[in-house]
Amino acid sequence: MPASVRIREVGPRDGFQNEPKAIATADKVRLIELLGGTGLRRIEVTSFVRPDLVPQLADAEQVLAAARLPAGVAVSVLVPNQRGLERALRQRSRFHAVNGFVSASETHNRQNSGRSVGDSLAGLERTFARGRAETLRCEGVIATAFGCPYEGRVPIERVLAIGRRLVVMGASEVAFGDTTGMANPLQVTELFAAARAALPGVELTAHFHNTRGQGLANVLAALQCGVASFESSFGELGGCPVPVGATGNIATEDLVSMLHEMRIETGIDLGALIEAARAAQQTIGRRLGSHLLSAGPVRWSAELA
Ligand code: ZN
C-alpha cells in the first residue's frame, strides 16, 4: 500500500452543485478558504457549466476570483467543454488544473451532457489542447466507470478505452468515478489492476460515492492496488440529498481518519478538516452524513490521559 496519498477535495463542486438550496457565494468562499487551511493540496473549487443547467454553480467566476488559498494548493476547475474553459481562462492565474469529464456509458452521457460519448471525447480533445496550450494540467474524469444507473454493468475494456483516449489527448491523470455508488471492492480491484497495466505512468484517481455505504471499503481495495490519489467531499456532501439520508461522496474527514489510523500520510490536519465540515453543516442547515462529524476522531489512551 502507498505510504502517502494525495486527496482532492471536490465538495465545493460535486457537493455544492447537488444542494437543493443555493449556497451564497460568500459562504462558498469562506468554506473553500477553511478547506485551504487544512493542509489539503488539491481543491476543485467550482465548475464552469451552463448557469441555466446548474444554477447552484452560476457564481463560478465570482468564487474563482474571490477564494484566497495558500500557494501550495493546486486549484482545479471542472469544465463541460471548451466554452466552459474559455470562461475560466479569463482568470488564468487563479487556477492550475482543468478537469474534463465523460461518462463510460452512452445513456448516462446523453442524460448528463446531451450528446454521445464520441462527441464528448471529441470536445474534450479540443478542450485539453486549449488547456495544455495554457500550461494547465489536464485531468480526465470517467463517470459511471463502475456501473450505470440506466445501463447497468459497464465493461472494463470500455472504461479503459476511454482512459487511453484521455491520455492520448494529454491527460496527466485519469479519475474513475463511481457516480451513483454502484462499485464494490472486488470490482474496484479488477478495474484498477487492469487500469495500471493499461495506463502506465498515468496518475490513477479513485472517486467514490458512499451511496450504498461501500465507499471506504472501495478505498481499501484501491489502496491495495497501489492507488495513491483520491477525491472526496468534506461533510460527505455530494450526490443527491433527496431522499433524506441519501449520502454523497465519501467524506474527506472519514477518509483521512482511516488513512491516518492505517499510518498512511495525507498532510491534512484532521481537526481542521472536521471544523470545515462542521461549518459546512451549519451553513447548509441540515445534518451531513460524515461519520467523523458525529463521532469525532479516534483517541487512544495516551491522548486521553
Ligand atoms: Zn462524483
Side-chain angles (χ1 to χ4, degrees), residues 10 13-15 17-18 44 141 143 177-180 207-209 231 233 237-239 248-249:
V10 296
R13 196 276 307 167
D14 212 345
Q17 79 179 11
N18 282 303
E44 189 167 274
V141 183
D178 184 21
T179 312
T180 59
H207 175 115
F208 295 127
H209 283 238
E231 293 184 339
S233 289
L237 288 166
N249 291 84

Side-chain angles (χ1 to χ4, degrees), residues 41 47 50 53 56-57 59 78 86 98 100 119 150 153:
R41 284 288 168 270
S47 172
R50 267 173 47 191
L53 296 181
Q56 291 93 331
L57 300 183
D59 57 0
L78 194 80
E86 297 301 338
V98 59
D119 286 349
Y150 310 106
R153 256 175 229 297

Side-chain angles (χ1 to χ4, degrees), residues 55 67 81 106 111 117 122 138 157 160 177 191 215 227 237 243 248 256 259 267-268 280 297:
N81 50 37
E106 205 57 61
Q111 295 282 338
V117 169
C138 297
E157 218 13 80
L160 296 184
L191 180 66
V227 172
L237 288 166
V256 168
L259 292 169
I268 294 167

Side-chain angles (χ1 to χ4, degrees), residues 89-151:
L89 282 174
R90 288 182 211 132
Q91 302 180 63
R92 170 63 191 91
S93 65
R94 305 284 304 147
F95 65 108
H96 310 91
V98 59
N99 294 352
F101 58 91
V102 61
S103 301
S105 84
E106 205 57 61
T107 316
H108 189 269
N109 203 69
R110 283 189 186 280
Q111 295 282 338
N112 200 31
S113 307
R115 54 195 166 156
S116 69
V117 169
D119 286 349
S120 278
L121 285 168
L124 268 181
E125 192 162 17
R126 293 188 292 274
T127 306
F128 281 180
R130 178 80 171 101
R132 292 207 325 277
E134 292 286 340
T135 67
L136 286 165
R137 177 184 156 89
C138 297
E139 185 208 2
V141 183
I142 307 176
T144 64
F146 299 89
C148 167
Y150 310 106
E151 294 183 17

Side-chain angles (χ1 to χ4, degrees), residues 1-280:
M1 277 197 256
S4 66
V5 304
R6 298 169 291 282
I7 295 176
R8 178 177 294 108
E9 170 60 51
V10 296
R13 196 276 307 167
D14 212 345
F16 293 172
Q17 79 179 11
N18 282 303
E19 283 303 313
K21 276 190 283 177
I23 301 166
T25 305
D27 286 332
K28 291 180 182 176
V29 170
R30 180 173 53 84
L31 294 171
I32 291 168
E33 290 178 348
L34 280 175
L35 290 167
T38 64
L40 274 158
R41 284 288 168 270
R42 291 175 163 180
I43 303 179
E44 189 167 274
V45 294
T46 189
S47 172
F48 284 84
V49 282
R50 267 173 47 191
D52 55 322
L53 296 181
V54 187
Q56 291 93 331
L57 300 183
D59 57 0
E61 273 89 356
Q62 292 90 317
V63 168
L64 186 61
R68 293 281 167 263
L69 291 166
V73 176
V75 176
S76 59
V77 297
L78 194 80
V79 300
N81 50 37
Q82 198 182 338
R83 192 175 306 166
L85 177 57
E86 297 301 338
R87 278 174 58 202
L89 282 174
R90 288 182 211 132
Q91 302 180 63
R92 170 63 191 91
S93 65
R94 305 284 304 147
F95 65 108
H96 310 91
V98 59
N99 294 352
F101 58 91
V102 61
S103 301
S105 84
E106 205 57 61
T107 316
H108 189 269
N109 203 69
R110 283 189 186 280
Q111 295 282 338
N112 200 31
S113 307
R115 54 195 166 156
S116 69
V117 169
D119 286 349
S120 278
L121 285 168
L124 268 181
E125 192 162 17
R126 293 188 292 274
T127 306
F128 281 180
R130 178 80 171 101
R132 292 207 325 277
E134 292 286 340
T135 67
L136 286 165
R137 177 184 156 89
C138 297
E139 185 208 2
V141 183
I142 307 176
T144 64
F146 299 89
C148 167
Y150 310 106
E151 294 183 17
R153 256 175 229 297
V154 179
I156 284 184
E157 218 13 80
R158 184 173 168 75
V159 178
L160 296 184
I162 293 171
R164 282 191 208 96
R165 282 278 312 269
L166 293 169
V167 172
V168 168
M169 292 174 198
S172 315
E173 179 181 342
V174 176
F176 297 86
D178 184 21
T179 312
T180 59
M182 293 170 75
N184 66 69
L186 180 64
Q187 190 192 12
V188 168
T189 302
E190 287 168 357
L191 180 66
F192 277 106
R196 282 191 88 183
L199 306 170
V202 177
E203 178 165 22
L204 304 179
T205 296
H207 175 115
F208 295 127
H209 283 238
N210 204 30
T211 320
R212 294 181 173 80
Q214 287 160 214
L216 288 182
N218 291 330
V219 168
L220 178 60
L223 287 168
Q224 286 169 334
C225 289
V227 172
S229 172
F230 293 89
E231 293 184 339
S232 54
S233 289
F234 68 145
E236 206 178 77
L237 288 166
C240 189
V242 182
V244 172
T247 58
N249 291 84
I250 55 170
T252 309
E253 56 274 22
D254 292 357
L255 172 64
V256 168
S257 170
M258 184 179 89
L259 292 169
H260 288 182
E261 292 300 312
M262 293 169 72
R263 294 193 288 275
I264 296 173
E265 283 176 33
T266 67
I268 294 167
D269 176 339
L270 182 56
L273 185 59
I274 292 171
E275 285 316 308
R278 202 179 307 287

